[in-house]
Amino acid sequence: ADDLTLQLKWVTQAQFAGYYVAADKGFYEEEDLNVTIKPGGPDIAPVQVLLGGGADVMVDWLPSALAAREKGAPIVNIAQPFASSGLMLTCLKEHGIESPEDFPGHTLGTWFFGNEIPLFSWMGKLGIPTDGSEGGVTIQKINFNVDPLLQKQVECATTMTYNEYWQVIDAGLTPEDLVVFKYEDEGISTLEDGLYTTEENLADPEMVDKLVRFVRASMKGWKYAEENPDEAAEIVLENDSTGAQTEKHQKRMMGEIAKLTAGSDGTLDEAAFQRSAEITMEGGMITEMPEGAYTHEITDQALN
Amino acid sequence: MAINVIYAKSLDLTFETNDGPVHALRDVNLEVGKGDFVSFIGPSGCGKTTFLRVMADLEQPTAGTVTVNGVSPEEARRARAYGYVFQAAGLYPWRTIGGNIRLPLEIMGYSKADQDTRVKRVLDLVELSGFEKKFPWQLSGGMQQRASIARALAFDADILLMDEPFGALDEIVRDHLNEQLLALWRRTEKTICFVTHSIPEAVYLSTRIVVMSPRPGRITDVIESPLPRERPLDIRDTPEFLEVAHRVREGLRAGHAYEE
Amino acid sequence: MAINVIYAKSLDLTFETNDGPVHALRDVNLEVGKGDFVSFIGPSGCGKTTFLRVMADLEQPTAGTVTVNGVSPEEARRARAYGYVFQAAGLYPWRTIGGNIRLPLEIMGYSKADQDTRVKRVLDLVELSGFEKKFPWQLSGGMQQRASIARALAFDADILLMDEPFGALDEIVRDHLNEQLLALWRRTEKTICFVTHSIPEAVYLSTRIVVMSPRPGRITDVIESPLPRERPLDIRDTPEFLEVAHRVREGLRAGHAYEE
Amino acid sequence: MRQSLIPVLTIVAAIFAIWYAAAIWLNAPWARDVAARGDQELSVTELVAATWSQEKPKLPAPHQVAVELYDTVIDKKVTSKRSLVYHSWITLSATLLGFALGTALGFALAIGIVYNRVMDKSVMPWVIASQTVPILAIAPMIIVVLNAMGLSGLLPKAMISMYLSFFPVVVGMVKGLRSPDAMQLDQMRTWNAGAAQEFLKLRLPSSMPYLFTSMKIAMAASLVGAIVGELPTGAVAGLGARLLAGSYYGQTIQIWSALIMAAVLAAVMVGTIGAVQRLVLKRMGMA
Amino acid sequence: MSWILAGLLIWAAGWALNIWLARQGRGGLLIPVTFGLTLLALWECAVRGFDISPVLLPAPSDIAARFAASTGLLWEDFVQTAIKGALTGYVLGGLAAFAVALAADRFDFLRRGLLPVGNFVAALPIIGLAPIMVMWFGFDWQSKAAIVVVMVFFPILVNTVEGLQAASAMQRDLMRTYAASYWTTLLKLRLPAAMPFIFNGLKIATTLALIGAIVAEFFGSPIRGMGFRISTSVGQLALDLVWAEIVVAAIAGSAFYGGVALLEKAVTFWHPSQRGRG
Ligand SMILES: Nc1ncnc2c1ncn2[C@@H]1O[C@H](COP(=O)(O)OP(=O)(O)OP(=O)(O)O)[C@@H](O)[C@H]1O
Ligand SMILES: Nc1ncnc2c1ncn2[C@@H]1O[C@H](COP(=O)(O)OP(=O)(O)OP(=O)(O)O)[C@@H](O)[C@H]1O
Ligand SMILES: Cc1ncc(C[n+]2csc(CCO)c2C)c(N)n1
Ligand SMILES: [Mg+2]
Ligand SMILES: [Mg+2]
C-alpha cells in the first residue's frame, strides 16, 4: 500500500469525521492507501508541516492558505469537501445587540491567525471603525474557546456552528439568550476546510495518482459520515487519544458538520473561491488576486 | 568574697560524631575572679577551644554548670559581656579590614565618630594602619589574625576570651602585643581567658595558668603565678619565671604519652 | 659545585590591589643547596609566604628569575618535586582526615595498598591515629594543622615547602614534631624551606636562617648555623645556639619600627 | 519529617479555606446570572452551594477537582486514554528524558566554560540568549523539523525539556565549579593534578550544593518543557494535551486536575532530588 | 553548494579568530559577537544553500530587513510585554519570593509548612496557569505580570533559602558573641553570604520572566505584545516578523541578564568565583 500523511488543522473532532471514517471503514485500504492522520493544534501551522515534509496533504481554510501562498509557500487546493461556512458571531442578548447596527461601542472577540479577516472586512462593509475610536468597536483577540464570552470579557465572540456555539449552550445559556450572525448569511463567508498539497507533489504523476485515490476515498468517507452521523462520531471518539472529548458533543457536532459538507462532491466552486479571495484581499491578508491556487485536476480524476 | 566572673562546676561535654562519641571535656571545675588573667595550655585537641566556647555560650555542656558574671553564659552573651577572638581569623570576605573591625561597633550601636576613632586606635595597636581599606584575602595570615584581634578589642567588653590569638605572629610582634595586652588589662581591669601553646607566653601574661590534658579533656593543674602585675619583658629571665615555666612544662608533658 | 636546588636572583613581586600596588618582594636573592634546611623568619606580612609561593609556581614574580632543581618552578611543579604545607590547614571539608591525606596519593597514582600504609604511617607520625574517619570540622585547629602536615609528608617529594606548619601546636607536640622532622630530613636528605615565627625553632631546625624585613619584603640577613646535623633537644641550651638565636633576634628587631 | 506534618497541614488547610472562598467570589456572578435567567432569588446558602458545584466554574472548588482526580486516577484503568495516570506517565517520561539530557548538556557546557577560555567568552552570552527565545514560539517549529526528520513521540518533547532545563544547570554549575577558594586550587597545583583530577576531586565536590539547587529548578523547568512540547504535537496525549483539550472545551475542572497532577509530579521529583541531596551531602560530611 | 562551502569556511574562520582573540586575552564583547556573527553567517548560507522555504526558516538578511522596517511595531510590543509584563512581574515575584524566604527563615513553622507547599504550588506549569490568570486578571499586562510572578518565584525562593544557610559556623558564632539580633545577623552576615546564591536565582529568573510574559500572551492579550505578534504571525506565516520579535526578545533578555550579572559582580566581588577566573 502507498503511504500518505494527512495533517489536520485542529484537534481530533467530528470536524474531520470524513477522514477518520474513511480510515476506519477501510475506504483508504480499498484504494491501496495507508493513510496517517496527524491531529493539529493551536500553534501548529499545517503549511509548515506540509513544506517541512511532515505531511503530504493538509486541511486548511482558504484565507490562510492564500496568505501562505502569497508568502511563498507553493500550496494548491485540490479538493473542497466543505461547501459552506460554519463561522458566526455569537452575542449575549443582555448586552443589547440585536442587529449589526448595534455593534458600535461593544467588544467583539475573534480568533486571529487569519480568522479575524472576515470580521474586519465585515466591519469595513458596515463602515464601523475597529481602531477603538468613537463610534467604533473594540476587537479583542480570544483563544479557541468561549470562556471570554461566558465571563463577559467580550460581548460577542466568534464561534463555529458545530462547536463553540454548543459549548455556550452547554454552559447553561439557551438559544434565546443569544444572538447569532452567520457569516454565510451576511455574505462574508470564506471557504473553510479544504485539502491542499504542494505544487511539487502535483508535478509528480505518482503522487497525483495517490492524491486522486485519497480524495476519492475521503469523499466516500464524508458521504458515509453524513449518512451515519452517530457512527461517525463514535469513530472520531475512538481516535481521540486525549480522551477529553464527549460523545454528546461529538454527535451534535457531526450533525452540524453534515450540513456544511452537504452538497459538495469535493469539487471547488469557483464562484465561492472568487468571493473568498476578494474578502481575504479586502481584509489585507493578501495583496493581489491569487493565480493557480487551486486545481480541479485531482477532483476531476477522482470523480470519474 | 567577690563574685566569680567565671565559675564552672563538673562540666562534661561529649560530641556525637558519625563514628561514636568524642569526650571533649570531663569533670572540669574552675573559678575565675574579676581581673584575673587566666591562660589555658594543653596539647592540641584537649578541649581548650571547647571550654572557651562553653563560656561563650557557643557550645552547650552535656552536664554540669557554668556561670559568667553570676548568670548563665547565654545571659552574659546577651549582655555583650565578652569579646571573643577565634582560633582562625574568620573575617567576613565582603568587608574591608576596617569594615570588619567596625562590624561589632555597628551592631552595638556606637556612634559613627566613635567607630572611626576606635577603628583607628585598634588598627594602630595591631600595626595595621594603612590596611584599613584592604580586603581580607589581600592580607597575609598573620595580618588577618591581627585584624581579628583588633576586632575583639574595638569594643568595651569586661571579659576577653582569646583562642590562640598570637599563634601566627612572629616573636617580636608577639612580644609587642603581649605587652600591649598586659597594659590594656592593667588599665581596664578586664578579665581575660587566653588559650596559648607557648609556655613563656602563658607564664608572662597570666595570673593563673590552667593546664589541661587530652581525651577526655580534664584540668590537670592550676598554677598561681607569683609574679607581680607589673611585668617588664625581662621578667622572663628571673628565677621565679623559669620556675613557673618549668612547672607548666612538667604538667604539659604528663599529657603526652611519648614523653613519659 | 653542586647544582642549587633553589636559586633566586633579583626577584621582585608587586600585587596590584584596589588601592594601589603592594610591594611584597623586592630584589630577593637566595641559593639553597641540596639537603639544606632553610628557615625563613620575619615580621608578619613581610613576604615569606609570597616567596614560598613563588618557588612553588603559585605566584609569578614581576621581575627576576627563580629556578628549582635547575628548571623553572613550573617544570619542577609538574615533576612533583615538592610537598607544600599551607599556612592554613586547608583540608577539604567533604573528605575525612584519612581521605584528605590520601588525596595527593590518589592524584599521583599510588597503589591502593601503598596509600593505606602511607596514610597510616603519617597519621601515626602526627599522632592522629584514630581520627582517620573524622571530618575536618570535627577536629581542633591544631589537629587540622597536623593533618595538613601529614598530607604533605605522605608522598615522596625531594623538596618540602612548609609555611608555619607548627604555628597552632603546643610546645610539647612542637618539640616532638621538630625532632621527627629533623630525623626525616637526615634520613631522606630532603631539601626543606620552612617558614616560622619562632626563633628557637628556626635555630634548632635549620642549616641556614633567612631573616626578612617588611614592605617591601627584602632579605636582610642570612645566618649559617654552626650547629651539627645531629641535634638533640638540649642543644638549645648550648652557647652556640643562644648566640645564633641572638643574631636572629637582632635581625628581626631591625624590621620593627617600634623596637628601635 | 514528622515535625513538618502539622505545619504543612496547617498551611494546606489555610490554602483550602482561601480556595473555597475564592471559588465563591469568582463563581458567584455566573450563579447569579443563571438564577436571574430562571427568575429565582438565591439565598446565601444556595449561592454558596451553587458556586461550588458548577459544571464549568471559573474556579472549581477543591472537592470538584478531587472528584475529577479520583475518577481519572483511581477509577480508570491506567492504560485507558481517559486515565490521568496514563497521561502523567507520558509527560513524566518526556520530562525525565529531557531532564537527563538537559542536565548532561548543562554539565558539559559548564565544564567547557570553566575550563576553556574561548568557550567562557563566547558561549555563555549565547546560552543566555537562547533562553530568551520564547520556547512556545519555536517549539512547533522544532517539532515540525524533528518530525520531518522522522523523529516523533518522546524525543521532540524531551528536546524542549532539555532546552529549558540545561540553563539552570549551566548557571549553577559554572558558579559551583568556580567556588573552590584559591588555596584549595593551589594545593591541586602543588600536586600537579591533571585537569580531570582537579575536576573530580575538588571542583565537583565543592559544586555539589549548587548542583542540587540547580537540578531542582531544572526539573521544574523540564516539566514545563514537556508540557509545552505536548501542545503543538497536536494534543495527542499527556498532561499538556489534557490542559489544551480542557481549555478548548472550557473544562476548567479538567484543567485543574491536570494542573494538580503536574504539580504533584513536580513536587515528587523535586522532593526526590532533595532526598538525594541530603543523602549525598551527608555522606560528604557537609550536612 | 557554493553557499554550503562558504558556510563551512566562515565557520572555520570564525572559530580560529575566536581562539586567537582568547589567546590574546583581549576581546571582551568581541568574542561572543564573533561567535554570533559566525552562527548568523552559517544560518544564512544554510538557508540559501539548501533553499529552505521562507515559511519554514527565513534567512537572517530577511529578518534584518523586516526588523528595520517595523521598529515602531517592535517597540510597541516590547513596551507591552517586556516592560509592563515581564519587568513588573519580575520585581513583584522577586520581592514575594524574597519575603517568603525570609519569613520561612524566621519562622520555623512556616519553613516546614510553606516550603513544601510553596514548591508544590510553584511547580504548577505556567502553561496551565496562563489561561487561568487571563481569566482572573484580564487580557492586559496584569495577567502577564501575574504569570511572571509565579514563574520567577520558585528559583528565587529556592536559592534564597539555600543562600541563607550559606554562612559558615564560625561566621555565625561571631555574631552570637556580639549577641546580635536576628535582623542584625541577617543584614550583616547572612544576606551578604547569601548573595551569590540569590543572584544565581535572579539570573535564572531574568530569562524566565521574559519567556513567561511572552508565552502568557499566547493565551490572551490585547492586540499588541511580543507574544501576540509571534503567535498571530506564525498563523500568517510571517516568519520574518516572528524572528524579528525573537531577536528583540533575545536582545532584551540578554541585556536584562547582563545587567543583573553586572550587579552581581559589584555585590559579590568577594566570592571566589568572581575574584579570579580559575
Ligand atoms: N593576593 C594578594 N593581593 C594583594 N596583596 C597581597 C596578596 N597576598 C599577599 N599580599 C600582600 O603581600 C604582603 C606579603 O604577604 P605574605 O602573605 O607573603 O606575608 P607573610 O610574610 O607570609 O606574613 P605572615 O607571617 O603574616 O603569614 C602583605 O603585605 C600582603 O598584604
Ligand atoms: N564539632 C565537633 N564535632 C565533633 N568533635 C569535635 C567538634 N569540635 C571539637 N571536637 C573534638 O573535641 C576535642 C577537643 O577539641 P578542641 O577544639 O576544644 O581542642 P583544642 O584544645 O582547642 O585543640 P587545639 O589546640 O588544637 O586548638 C577534639 O578531640 C576534637 O576532635
Ligand atoms: C490558526 C487556526 N488554527 C486552527 C483553526 C481551526 N479551527 C477550525 S474550526 C475551529 C474551532 C474549533 O472547532 C478551529 C480552531 C483555525 N481556524 N485557525
Ligand atoms: Mg583550639
Ligand atoms: Mg604567611
PDB file of all heavy atoms in Angstrom, chain B residues 19 44 127 134 146 168 170-171 197 199 249 258, chain C residues 19 44 127 134 146 168 171 197 199 249 258:
ATOM      1  N   ASP B  19      31.327   8.396  63.886  1.00  0.00           N
ATOM      2  CA  ASP B  19      31.767   7.112  64.459  1.00  0.00           C
ATOM      3  C   ASP B  19      32.017   7.236  65.965  1.00  0.00           C
ATOM      4  O   ASP B  19      33.137   7.227  66.438  1.00  0.00           O
ATOM      5  CB  ASP B  19      32.962   6.540  63.697  1.00  0.00           C
ATOM      6  CG  ASP B  19      34.140   7.486  63.637  1.00  0.00           C
ATOM      7  OD1 ASP B  19      34.131   8.471  64.400  1.00  0.00           O
ATOM      8  OD2 ASP B  19      35.054   7.253  62.862  1.00  0.00           O
ATOM      9  N   SER B  44      47.231  19.798  71.774  1.00  0.00           N
ATOM     10  CA  SER B  44      46.222  20.096  70.770  1.00  0.00           C
ATOM     11  C   SER B  44      45.108  19.053  70.813  1.00  0.00           C
ATOM     12  O   SER B  44      45.367  17.859  70.934  1.00  0.00           O
ATOM     13  CB  SER B  44      46.927  20.146  69.409  1.00  0.00           C
ATOM     14  OG  SER B  44      46.254  19.438  68.447  1.00  0.00           O
ATOM     15  N   GLU B 127      49.147  47.365  64.553  1.00  0.00           N
ATOM     16  CA  GLU B 127      50.015  47.776  63.446  1.00  0.00           C
ATOM     17  C   GLU B 127      49.476  47.416  62.086  1.00  0.00           C
ATOM     18  O   GLU B 127      50.145  46.795  61.267  1.00  0.00           O
ATOM     19  CB  GLU B 127      51.387  47.150  63.616  1.00  0.00           C
ATOM     20  CG  GLU B 127      52.092  47.758  64.814  1.00  0.00           C
ATOM     21  CD  GLU B 127      53.431  47.119  64.974  1.00  0.00           C
ATOM     22  OE1 GLU B 127      54.267  47.334  64.107  1.00  0.00           O
ATOM     23  OE2 GLU B 127      53.592  46.387  65.957  1.00  0.00           O
ATOM     24  N   LYS B 134      41.884  47.437  52.712  1.00  0.00           N
ATOM     25  CA  LYS B 134      42.147  46.179  52.000  1.00  0.00           C
ATOM     26  C   LYS B 134      41.101  45.125  52.378  1.00  0.00           C
ATOM     27  O   LYS B 134      40.500  45.184  53.436  1.00  0.00           O
ATOM     28  CB  LYS B 134      43.529  45.659  52.378  1.00  0.00           C
ATOM     29  CG  LYS B 134      44.678  46.540  51.920  1.00  0.00           C
ATOM     30  CD  LYS B 134      45.327  45.960  50.675  1.00  0.00           C
ATOM     31  CE  LYS B 134      46.556  46.755  50.288  1.00  0.00           C
ATOM     32  NZ  LYS B 134      46.273  48.161  49.953  1.00  0.00           N
ATOM     33  N   ARG B 146      45.795  39.457  63.216  1.00  0.00           N
ATOM     34  CA  ARG B 146      45.844  40.708  63.978  1.00  0.00           C
ATOM     35  C   ARG B 146      44.557  41.504  63.801  1.00  0.00           C
ATOM     36  O   ARG B 146      44.046  42.104  64.737  1.00  0.00           O
ATOM     37  CB  ARG B 146      47.051  41.540  63.533  1.00  0.00           C
ATOM     38  CG  ARG B 146      48.349  41.041  64.156  1.00  0.00           C
ATOM     39  CD  ARG B 146      49.511  41.926  63.780  1.00  0.00           C
ATOM     40  NE  ARG B 146      50.070  41.552  62.486  1.00  0.00           N
ATOM     41  CZ  ARG B 146      50.726  42.383  61.690  1.00  0.00           C
ATOM     42  NH1 ARG B 146      50.876  43.657  62.030  1.00  0.00           N
ATOM     43  NH2 ARG B 146      51.211  41.961  60.542  1.00  0.00           N
ATOM     44  N   ALA B 168      49.897  33.030  64.936  1.00  0.00           N
ATOM     45  CA  ALA B 168      50.503  33.194  63.625  1.00  0.00           C
ATOM     46  C   ALA B 168      51.439  34.399  63.567  1.00  0.00           C
ATOM     47  O   ALA B 168      51.742  34.892  62.492  1.00  0.00           O
ATOM     48  CB  ALA B 168      49.408  33.326  62.570  1.00  0.00           C
ATOM     49  N   ASP B 170      55.061  36.615  64.577  1.00  0.00           N
ATOM     50  CA  ASP B 170      56.469  36.398  64.906  1.00  0.00           C
ATOM     51  C   ASP B 170      56.755  36.901  66.314  1.00  0.00           C
ATOM     52  O   ASP B 170      55.983  37.643  66.922  1.00  0.00           O
ATOM     53  CB  ASP B 170      57.361  37.110  63.889  1.00  0.00           C
ATOM     54  CG  ASP B 170      57.257  38.607  64.016  1.00  0.00           C
ATOM     55  OD1 ASP B 170      56.207  39.154  63.619  1.00  0.00           O
ATOM     56  OD2 ASP B 170      58.222  39.223  64.510  1.00  0.00           O
ATOM     57  N   GLU B 171      57.910  36.486  66.826  1.00  0.00           N
ATOM     58  CA  GLU B 171      58.217  36.716  68.233  1.00  0.00           C
ATOM     59  C   GLU B 171      58.211  38.194  68.608  1.00  0.00           C
ATOM     60  O   GLU B 171      57.771  38.573  69.690  1.00  0.00           O
ATOM     61  CB  GLU B 171      59.591  36.129  68.548  1.00  0.00           C
ATOM     62  CG  GLU B 171      59.500  35.092  69.641  1.00  0.00           C
ATOM     63  CD  GLU B 171      60.730  34.214  69.656  1.00  0.00           C
ATOM     64  OE1 GLU B 171      61.746  34.648  70.208  1.00  0.00           O
ATOM     65  OE2 GLU B 171      60.666  33.111  69.102  1.00  0.00           O
ATOM     66  N   HIS B 197      49.753  28.143  73.161  1.00  0.00           N
ATOM     67  CA  HIS B 197      50.601  26.958  73.148  1.00  0.00           C
ATOM     68  C   HIS B 197      51.996  27.273  73.636  1.00  0.00           C
ATOM     69  O   HIS B 197      52.832  26.392  73.758  1.00  0.00           O
ATOM     70  CB  HIS B 197      50.670  26.379  71.729  1.00  0.00           C
ATOM     71  CG  HIS B 197      49.482  25.572  71.414  1.00  0.00           C
ATOM     72  ND1 HIS B 197      48.730  25.766  70.291  1.00  0.00           N
ATOM     73  CD2 HIS B 197      48.892  24.568  72.089  1.00  0.00           C
ATOM     74  CE1 HIS B 197      47.740  24.911  70.277  1.00  0.00           C
ATOM     75  NE2 HIS B 197      47.809  24.174  71.366  1.00  0.00           N
ATOM     76  N   ILE B 199      54.549  28.268  76.343  1.00  0.00           N
ATOM     77  CA  ILE B 199      54.703  28.280  77.798  1.00  0.00           C
ATOM     78  C   ILE B 199      55.181  29.653  78.282  1.00  0.00           C
ATOM     79  O   ILE B 199      54.584  30.216  79.202  1.00  0.00           O
ATOM     80  CB  ILE B 199      55.648  27.150  78.250  1.00  0.00           C
ATOM     81  CG1 ILE B 199      55.023  25.801  77.848  1.00  0.00           C
ATOM     82  CG2 ILE B 199      55.868  27.196  79.755  1.00  0.00           C
ATOM     83  CD1 ILE B 199      55.923  24.613  78.086  1.00  0.00           C
ATOM     84  N   ARG B 249      55.656  23.162  82.133  1.00  0.00           N
ATOM     85  CA  ARG B 249      56.175  22.194  81.163  1.00  0.00           C
ATOM     86  C   ARG B 249      55.983  20.766  81.684  1.00  0.00           C
ATOM     87  O   ARG B 249      55.583  19.888  80.938  1.00  0.00           O
ATOM     88  CB  ARG B 249      57.660  22.472  80.886  1.00  0.00           C
ATOM     89  CG  ARG B 249      58.243  21.538  79.842  1.00  0.00           C
ATOM     90  CD  ARG B 249      59.571  22.025  79.272  1.00  0.00           C
ATOM     91  NE  ARG B 249      59.411  23.207  78.437  1.00  0.00           N
ATOM     92  CZ  ARG B 249      59.942  24.396  78.711  1.00  0.00           C
ATOM     93  NH1 ARG B 249      60.681  24.564  79.786  1.00  0.00           N
ATOM     94  NH2 ARG B 249      59.725  25.409  77.903  1.00  0.00           N
ATOM     95  N   TYR B 258      54.174  10.009  74.594  1.00  0.00           N
ATOM     96  CA  TYR B 258      55.520   9.697  74.113  1.00  0.00           C
ATOM     97  C   TYR B 258      56.620  10.402  74.886  1.00  0.00           C
ATOM     98  O   TYR B 258      57.786  10.216  74.628  1.00  0.00           O
ATOM     99  CB  TYR B 258      55.667  10.025  72.634  1.00  0.00           C
ATOM    100  CG  TYR B 258      55.247  11.437  72.290  1.00  0.00           C
ATOM    101  CD1 TYR B 258      56.115  12.501  72.465  1.00  0.00           C
ATOM    102  CD2 TYR B 258      53.969  11.673  71.802  1.00  0.00           C
ATOM    103  CE1 TYR B 258      55.718  13.778  72.161  1.00  0.00           C
ATOM    104  CE2 TYR B 258      53.572  12.946  71.499  1.00  0.00           C
ATOM    105  CZ  TYR B 258      54.443  13.993  71.674  1.00  0.00           C
ATOM    106  OH  TYR B 258      54.045  15.252  71.367  1.00  0.00           O
TER     107      TYR B 258
ATOM    108  N   ASP C  19      43.444  49.563  46.135  1.00  0.00           N
ATOM    109  CA  ASP C  19      44.013  50.897  46.371  1.00  0.00           C
ATOM    110  C   ASP C  19      45.534  50.875  46.271  1.00  0.00           C
ATOM    111  O   ASP C  19      46.247  50.982  47.251  1.00  0.00           O
ATOM    112  CB  ASP C  19      43.510  51.523  47.676  1.00  0.00           C
ATOM    113  CG  ASP C  19      43.777  50.670  48.894  1.00  0.00           C
ATOM    114  OD1 ASP C  19      44.573  49.695  48.777  1.00  0.00           O
ATOM    115  OD2 ASP C  19      43.240  50.953  49.945  1.00  0.00           O
ATOM    116  N   SER C  44      55.272  39.610  60.365  1.00  0.00           N
ATOM    117  CA  SER C  44      54.085  39.203  59.614  1.00  0.00           C
ATOM    118  C   SER C  44      53.830  40.186  58.472  1.00  0.00           C
ATOM    119  O   SER C  44      53.941  41.395  58.636  1.00  0.00           O
ATOM    120  CB  SER C  44      52.930  39.142  60.603  1.00  0.00           C
ATOM    121  OG  SER C  44      51.795  39.724  60.099  1.00  0.00           O
ATOM    122  N   GLU C 127      50.445  11.823  65.213  1.00  0.00           N
ATOM    123  CA  GLU C 127      49.586  11.416  66.325  1.00  0.00           C
ATOM    124  C   GLU C 127      48.120  11.710  66.100  1.00  0.00           C
ATOM    125  O   GLU C 127      47.457  12.332  66.923  1.00  0.00           O
ATOM    126  CB  GLU C 127      50.035  12.118  67.605  1.00  0.00           C
ATOM    127  CG  GLU C 127      51.368  11.604  68.046  1.00  0.00           C
ATOM    128  CD  GLU C 127      51.802  12.360  69.264  1.00  0.00           C
ATOM    129  OE1 GLU C 127      51.152  12.169  70.305  1.00  0.00           O
ATOM    130  OE2 GLU C 127      52.757  13.137  69.164  1.00  0.00           O
ATOM    131  N   LYS C 134      37.260  10.879  60.841  1.00  0.00           N
ATOM    132  CA  LYS C 134      36.573  12.113  61.216  1.00  0.00           C
ATOM    133  C   LYS C 134      36.642  13.142  60.084  1.00  0.00           C
ATOM    134  O   LYS C 134      37.536  13.114  59.248  1.00  0.00           O
ATOM    135  CB  LYS C 134      37.218  12.710  62.458  1.00  0.00           C
ATOM    136  CG  LYS C 134      37.082  11.848  63.697  1.00  0.00           C
ATOM    137  CD  LYS C 134      35.978  12.366  64.592  1.00  0.00           C
ATOM    138  CE  LYS C 134      35.935  11.641  65.917  1.00  0.00           C
ATOM    139  NZ  LYS C 134      35.603  10.206  65.786  1.00  0.00           N
ATOM    140  N   ARG C 146      47.970  19.504  61.930  1.00  0.00           N
ATOM    141  CA  ARG C 146      48.792  18.297  61.859  1.00  0.00           C
ATOM    142  C   ARG C 146      48.372  17.424  60.682  1.00  0.00           C
ATOM    143  O   ARG C 146      49.207  16.839  59.991  1.00  0.00           O
ATOM    144  CB  ARG C 146      48.676  17.513  63.175  1.00  0.00           C
ATOM    145  CG  ARG C 146      49.509  18.142  64.283  1.00  0.00           C
ATOM    146  CD  ARG C 146      49.462  17.296  65.523  1.00  0.00           C
ATOM    147  NE  ARG C 146      48.305  17.631  66.359  1.00  0.00           N
ATOM    148  CZ  ARG C 146      47.745  16.789  67.225  1.00  0.00           C
ATOM    149  NH1 ARG C 146      48.223  15.564  67.357  1.00  0.00           N
ATOM    150  NH2 ARG C 146      46.713  17.177  67.943  1.00  0.00           N
ATOM    151  N   ALA C 168      50.140  26.288  65.185  1.00  0.00           N
ATOM    152  CA  ALA C 168      48.993  26.092  66.069  1.00  0.00           C
ATOM    153  C   ALA C 168      49.208  24.953  67.061  1.00  0.00           C
ATOM    154  O   ALA C 168      48.263  24.439  67.620  1.00  0.00           O
ATOM    155  CB  ALA C 168      47.736  25.833  65.236  1.00  0.00           C
ATOM    156  N   GLU C 171      53.875  23.448  72.739  1.00  0.00           N
ATOM    157  CA  GLU C 171      55.318  23.300  72.730  1.00  0.00           C
ATOM    158  C   GLU C 171      55.767  21.853  72.713  1.00  0.00           C
ATOM    159  O   GLU C 171      56.746  21.497  72.063  1.00  0.00           O
ATOM    160  CB  GLU C 171      55.891  23.984  73.971  1.00  0.00           C
ATOM    161  CG  GLU C 171      56.842  25.094  73.593  1.00  0.00           C
ATOM    162  CD  GLU C 171      57.088  26.007  74.765  1.00  0.00           C
ATOM    163  OE1 GLU C 171      57.912  25.645  75.624  1.00  0.00           O
ATOM    164  OE2 GLU C 171      56.462  27.081  74.820  1.00  0.00           O
ATOM    165  N   HIS C 197      57.728  31.549  62.941  1.00  0.00           N
ATOM    166  CA  HIS C 197      57.823  32.779  63.706  1.00  0.00           C
ATOM    167  C   HIS C 197      58.608  32.571  64.975  1.00  0.00           C
ATOM    168  O   HIS C 197      58.858  33.508  65.719  1.00  0.00           O
ATOM    169  CB  HIS C 197      56.421  33.294  64.052  1.00  0.00           C
ATOM    170  CG  HIS C 197      55.797  34.006  62.922  1.00  0.00           C
ATOM    171  ND1 HIS C 197      54.556  33.688  62.444  1.00  0.00           N
ATOM    172  CD2 HIS C 197      56.263  34.991  62.135  1.00  0.00           C
ATOM    173  CE1 HIS C 197      54.276  34.466  61.425  1.00  0.00           C
ATOM    174  NE2 HIS C 197      55.298  35.268  61.221  1.00  0.00           N
ATOM    175  N   ILE C 199      61.859  31.881  66.953  1.00  0.00           N
ATOM    176  CA  ILE C 199      63.312  31.952  66.780  1.00  0.00           C
ATOM    177  C   ILE C 199      63.979  30.637  67.198  1.00  0.00           C
ATOM    178  O   ILE C 199      64.766  30.085  66.444  1.00  0.00           O
ATOM    179  CB  ILE C 199      63.890  33.160  67.551  1.00  0.00           C
ATOM    180  CG1 ILE C 199      63.262  34.445  66.974  1.00  0.00           C
ATOM    181  CG2 ILE C 199      65.401  33.201  67.451  1.00  0.00           C
ATOM    182  CD1 ILE C 199      63.630  35.689  67.743  1.00  0.00           C
ATOM    183  N   ARG C 249      67.408  37.341  66.519  1.00  0.00           N
ATOM    184  CA  ARG C 249      66.527  38.289  67.181  1.00  0.00           C
ATOM    185  C   ARG C 249      66.894  39.720  66.817  1.00  0.00           C
ATOM    186  O   ARG C 249      66.028  40.553  66.558  1.00  0.00           O
ATOM    187  CB  ARG C 249      66.581  38.088  68.699  1.00  0.00           C
ATOM    188  CG  ARG C 249      65.606  38.985  69.457  1.00  0.00           C
ATOM    189  CD  ARG C 249      65.388  38.544  70.900  1.00  0.00           C
ATOM    190  NE  ARG C 249      64.601  37.315  70.976  1.00  0.00           N
ATOM    191  CZ  ARG C 249      65.077  36.172  71.488  1.00  0.00           C
ATOM    192  NH1 ARG C 249      66.323  36.099  71.954  1.00  0.00           N
ATOM    193  NH2 ARG C 249      64.311  35.107  71.525  1.00  0.00           N
ATOM    194  N   TYR C 258      58.947  49.995  66.057  1.00  0.00           N
ATOM    195  CA  TYR C 258      58.748  50.383  67.454  1.00  0.00           C
ATOM    196  C   TYR C 258      59.801  49.830  68.400  1.00  0.00           C
ATOM    197  O   TYR C 258      59.797  50.090  69.577  1.00  0.00           O
ATOM    198  CB  TYR C 258      57.361  49.963  67.935  1.00  0.00           C
ATOM    199  CG  TYR C 258      57.043  48.521  67.678  1.00  0.00           C
ATOM    200  CD1 TYR C 258      57.472  47.532  68.544  1.00  0.00           C
ATOM    201  CD2 TYR C 258      56.320  48.161  66.556  1.00  0.00           C
ATOM    202  CE1 TYR C 258      57.177  46.218  68.309  1.00  0.00           C
ATOM    203  CE2 TYR C 258      56.028  46.845  66.318  1.00  0.00           C
ATOM    204  CZ  TYR C 258      56.462  45.872  67.205  1.00  0.00           C
ATOM    205  OH  TYR C 258      56.159  44.580  66.962  1.00  0.00           O
TER     206      TYR C 258
END
